[in-house]
Amino acid sequence: MSDVQTSLAFRANAARAIKDAPMRAAMRQAADTFGAKRADAFASVADLEALRDRASALRLQVLDRLQEYEEMFASRATRAGATVHRAKDASSAREIIARILADRGAKTVVKSKSMVSEEIHLNAHLEKEGLTVLETDLGEYIIQLVGETPSHIIVPAIHKNRQQVGRLFAEKLGVEYTEDPQVLTKIARRTIREKFLTADAGLSGANFAAAASGSLVLFTNEGNGRMVTTVPPLHIAILSLEKMIPSLADLPTFIRLLPRSATGQSITSYVSVITGTRKPGEATGAKELHIVLLDNGRTEILSGECREILKCIRCGACMNVCPVYRTVGGHSYGWTYPGPMGIILTTLLTGMAKSHPLVDASTLCGACVEVCPVHIPLVDLFLRLRERRVREGFSRPMEKRGMRVFGKAAASPSLFSAGQYLSRTFWPLVRALGGKDVAGRLPRPAKVPFHRRVP
Amino acid sequence: MTSPELVRRFLTNAGNAAAGTHAVSDAAGLRRVLSGIVSRTVPAFCPGLTDKEKAATPSLACRAADYAGAKATVEEVYGAIAETGSLVCVSSGGRAVQAGLLPAHHVAIVASERIFAALDDCFASFAEGPPTNITLVTGPSRTADIELTLAIGVHGPEKLDIIVFSSEPCSDA
């Protein structure tokens, strides 16, 4: 798997993925487990709807005044000792980070999971610059060893089973084969611990940024996020603009929603709030903290008809319940973000020309809307993107012609009846010509139309 | 004064997150619990800064000079949250928050009057500006990255023990 976007090949990717039995078994298991755990976790929340409404309102409040919050965050973080950088796009973010590391002579970087860093293909760039970048989240570590990309935003190696991980560790780390997740986890702990202690820099993302205090907030379970942000002398955090929340007073709302929606935990093992650098007399925190605020298309999305996707807090609940994601897996979508939120972000961030087949990757069943903790109207956004695909001329010529004919027929009863007659008469031919395509799978038209059967 | 109900709720939720939970009401009780959970041969780090940490040190037979070489850390933490069963560890007062991260065993002492009912109460206590690092710790380090099978003790502690210290006999608030 490479950094090249393959969203245009979504249909082919999906057809291939459907034949991958171990992947599909893993996906089913993940989706079912998370679904059940999520329901359990929310059972202890008194008024879930009020909580979702509040979270959604807070996220909209930020989006409505994003620039203001961004400036407030930058000034408060600077006052607390951080250096704030603004990156307009992926390449400027990569260069800023590479420059910070090069200026300090850093050679080794330990990294905790960051989807934004995947979005800008940061690792590949830093490796090209001669740096050693080690992913320390267990799932990310596994896929880094194989050279793949994440297939789920919360559980990156969800598509690998324990036998595959066991063989991988035996081959790459020279340890004895085991398929016991407990033992495999301990092996990773041992291997990565040394690197934490000797790394020149730590690189992390952030789940939220509290504007009023200039704080970064990270939710983690393994403890690697804490290591990356406190052990090395230099910490670089990269986050996209929309991660802002007004203040730490709003954090409880998101603590109650994010882990429950993501993994069904009532809280992750660790929630870290980092405000600036280590001050004189303190013994915690990086001596130098650089925060890279990445736009990479967000400002443009903000002014468009799909702006509500920027409310997303990256919990992954929408993918766990999506019948398409569950069947085709994360890699089929061909870019960083899979599943329902991924379809929308990919289309908006990379452009319709590079991603238009993705907007079909939904049954519009609305399961994603039902679980979204911040009330993103995902189905409405799919429909807007489908309209946009037609407007921008990316729909298939046959589909366009067909729709035009159907539109005319549906507006005229006589034409419609004629069409019904033709479809009954020529159905065997359509089916034969359609072959394996959609036309070939159309159901046989009724001999007597429904409206004539009902008195 | 903290109600016994709040202490109970905190200990229940912390226990549900796989932390070991203990309650004591005096220094002797604290030392008794410690000698039961920290083996005499394990190098244990204790900052020894607060009264409760000073009271704890006699029970640590093998004391490590700093957390880097320790197998266990015994420390008093800033507070706790009943709603989630979390510890609140902060960097104020020159504390190394990572002392509770690197060693395999983390033993946290919480004064009962420092237990907040809800997350909101905890964050309200930082209204004047948060310290460099606030970490909410709920249970030991964990992952489910391999086939969603829970494994305890990834990069952080594999064992977390919490000792609630109620200096006054508990009475209903």
Side-chain angles (χ1 to χ4, degrees):
Chain A
M1 217 65 52
S2 72
D3 288 342
V4 178
Q5 182 175 358
T6 64
S7 307
L8 283 178
F10 175 75
R11 280 162 192 273
N13 294 347
R16 201 167 45 242
I18 285 168
K19 295 190 190 113
D20 183 347
M23 185 281 290
R24 292 191 59 186
M27 285 294 169
R28 256 196 315 277
Q29 190 208 357
D32 291 347
T33 309
F34 280 144
K37 287 183 73 181
R38 180 188 166 279
D40 276 357
F42 276 117
S44 65
V45 174
D47 195 346
L48 174 58
E49 277 321 296
L51 195 59
R52 291 168 79 185
D53 290 346
R54 188 156 61 246
S56 169
L58 281 166
R59 299 291 294 138
L60 278 178
Q61 180 187 330
V62 165
L63 295 183
D64 287 343
R65 295 154 53 197
L66 189 58
Q67 204 183 347
E68 223 173 285
Y69 280 112
E70 182 200 332
E71 276 160 19
M72 190 197 297
F73 172 81
S75 83
R76 305 291 157 85
T78 306
R79 205 165 65 194
T83 310
V84 178
H85 307 259
R86 286 182 170 81
K88 201 181 166 334
D89 54 23
S91 75
S92 61
R94 290 192 297 256
E95 275 158 32
I96 289 168
I97 294 171
R99 169 61 52 84
I100 297 168
L101 292 166
D103 285 352
R104 282 147 194 84
K107 294 273 177 284
T108 54
V109 180
V110 281
K111 188 158 168 277
S112 70
K113 194 156 81 72
S114 152
M115 290 309 293
V116 168
S117 76
E118 299 282 343
E119 175 186 324
I120 65 166
H121 305 314
L122 183 60
N123 288 10
H125 181 78
L126 295 180
E127 279 160 8
K128 215 170 59 205
E129 300 282 312
L131 286 140
T132 309
V133 184
L134 183 76
E135 292 286 353
T136 61
D137 171 87
L138 179 57
E140 288 274 355
Y141 179 65
I142 292 168
I143 58 172
Q144 189 183 35
L145 281 180
V146 219
E148 290 186 5
T149 54
S151 65
H152 189 287
I153 63 170
I154 302 291
V155 203
I158 191 78
H159 56 289
K160 293 266 172 253
N161 62 30
R162 62 182 73 195
Q163 290 78 16
Q164 291 169 313
V165 177
R167 281 196 296 273
L168 180 70
F169 276 23
E171 180 200 329
K172 302 269 180 172
L173 305 177
V175 294
E176 206 176 309
Y177 174 84
T178 169
E179 53 185 56
D180 181 347
Q182 316 292 333
V183 181
L184 290 167
T185 300
K186 290 289 176 274
I187 294 170
R189 176 188 169 105
R190 247 192 345 263
T191 318
I192 301 173
R193 177 57 73 102
E194 292 164 37
K195 316 277 184 183
F196 278 129
L197 300 176
T198 55
D200 299 317
L203 226 157
S204 78
N207 295 92
F208 298 104
S213 53
S215 315
L216 300 171
V217 185
L218 276 85
F219 289 66
T220 62
N221 274 315
E222 300 183 0
N224 61 317
R226 294 181 62 191
M227 292 278 188
V228 162
T229 57
T230 60
V231 176
L234 167 65
H235 170 204
I236 303 173
I238 175 158
L239 55 142
S240 50
L241 294 182
E242 82 279 14
K243 295 286 173 81
M244 298 289 156
I245 57 172
S247 87
L248 288 180
D250 304 308
L251 187 56
T253 299
F254 295 100
I255 295 181
R256 291 181 186 116
L257 280 172
L258 177 56
R260 282 186 171 89
S261 300
T263 54
Q265 292 172 279
S266 53
I267 188 168
T268 44
S269 295
Y270 307 115
V271 176
S272 307
V273 180
I274 296 157
T275 312
T277 45
R278 184 182 294 214
K279 324 274 183 301
E282 287 192 333
T284 309
K287 296 192 174 68
E288 216 182 326
L289 168 63
H290 291 263
I291 301 173
V292 181
L293 291 178
L294 175 71
D295 187 320
N296 208 25
R298 268 68 175 183
T299 306
E300 204 187 321
I301 298 177
L302 195 61
S303 60
E305 58 180 359
C306 295
R307 68 197 297 261
E308 282 199 67
I309 191 62
L310 296 180
K311 293 199 291 186
C312 179
I313 57 172
R314 308 284 190 274
C315 68
C318 62
M319 49 199 81
N320 294 332
V321 296
C322 176
V324 177
Y325 176 85
R326 289 167 60 122
T327 310
V328 304
H331 286 152
S332 296
Y333 295 77
W335 201 56
T336 311
Y337 305 100
M341 56 72 76
I343 294 171
I344 293 163
L345 265 187
T346 305
T347 313
L348 295 172
L349 291 175
T350 67
M352 199 55 86
K354 286 183 176 173
S355 58
H356 58 85
L358 287 186
V359 301
D360 286 328
S362 166
T363 63
L364 306 182
C365 68
C368 49
V369 178
E370 232 163 82
V371 296
C372 178
V374 289
H375 287 313
I376 299 173
L378 290 150
V379 168
D380 294 349
L381 300 187
F382 290 140
L383 295 176
R384 271 172 223 166
L385 288 177
R386 286 183 184 183
E387 285 166 18
R388 184 150 142 196
R389 176 172 61 177
V390 175
R391 273 203 310 277
E392 293 184 7
F394 289 107
S395 41
R396 294 199 276 189
M398 275 295 279
E399 180 187 308
K400 263 194 285 193
R401 242 169 283 151
M403 283 298 172
R404 211 172 299 136
V405 171
F406 179 79
K408 286 229 167 72
S412 142
S414 56
L415 263 180
F416 196 81
S417 301
Q420 282 180 318
Y421 172 77
L422 287 174
S423 70
R424 279 195 298 273
T425 313
F426 290 103
W427 180 71
L429 183 68
V430 170
R431 203 172 68 146
L433 291 177
K436 279 183 169 177
D437 246 340
V438 180
R441 286 182 274 128
L442 285 174
R444 174 196 284 275
K447 283 211 171 72
V448 183
F450 186 65
H451 70 96
R452 290 214 190 110
R453 274 187 280 165
V454 184
Chain B
M1 198 181 298
T2 311
S3 76
E5 212 295 300
L6 199 58
V7 175
R8 262 197 304 274
R9 190 144 48 95
F10 166 62
L11 289 175
T12 307
N13 287 333
N16 288 342
T21 56
H22 317 267
V24 302
S25 55
D26 55 25
L30 175 65
R31 286 192 285 271
R32 214 167 27 245
V33 168
L34 281 172
S35 52
I37 56 179
V38 182
S39 142
R40 299 184 61 80
T41 53
V42 164
F45 169 69
C46 179
L49 298 172
T50 66
D51 289 346
K52 293 183 181 65
E53 285 175 352
K54 285 182 187 134
T57 48
S59 58
L60 304 172
C62 176
R63 216 173 143 193
D66 71 14
Y67 61 82
K71 290 251 183 331
T73 285
V74 178
E75 60 168 354
E76 181 176 2
V77 299
Y78 173 86
I81 303 167
E83 175 188 352
T84 51
S86 312
L87 299 169
V88 186
C89 306
V90 304
S91 56
S92 337
R95 283 203 173 256
V97 175
Q98 64 275 21
L101 173 69
L102 292 157
H105 187 188
H106 184 201
V107 182
I109 307 168
V110 186
S112 63
E113 65 272 18
R114 300 292 308 162
I115 300 178
F116 300 101
L119 286 161
D120 311 75
D121 306 310
C122 164
F123 285 102
S125 79
F126 301 113
E128 283 163 32
T132 304
N133 189 296
I134 307 170
T135 303
L136 309 187
V137 174
T138 315
S141 144
R142 67 188 66 207
T143 188
D145 271 351
I146 302 175
E147 286 190 15
L148 297 178
T149 307
L150 179 69
I152 295 286
V154 198
H155 303 299
E158 15 194 84
K159 211 167 150 213
L160 172 66
D161 275 295
I162 299 173
I163 308 172
V164 171
F165 196 115
S166 312
S167 37
E168 316 140 54
C170 283
S171 65
D172 285 71

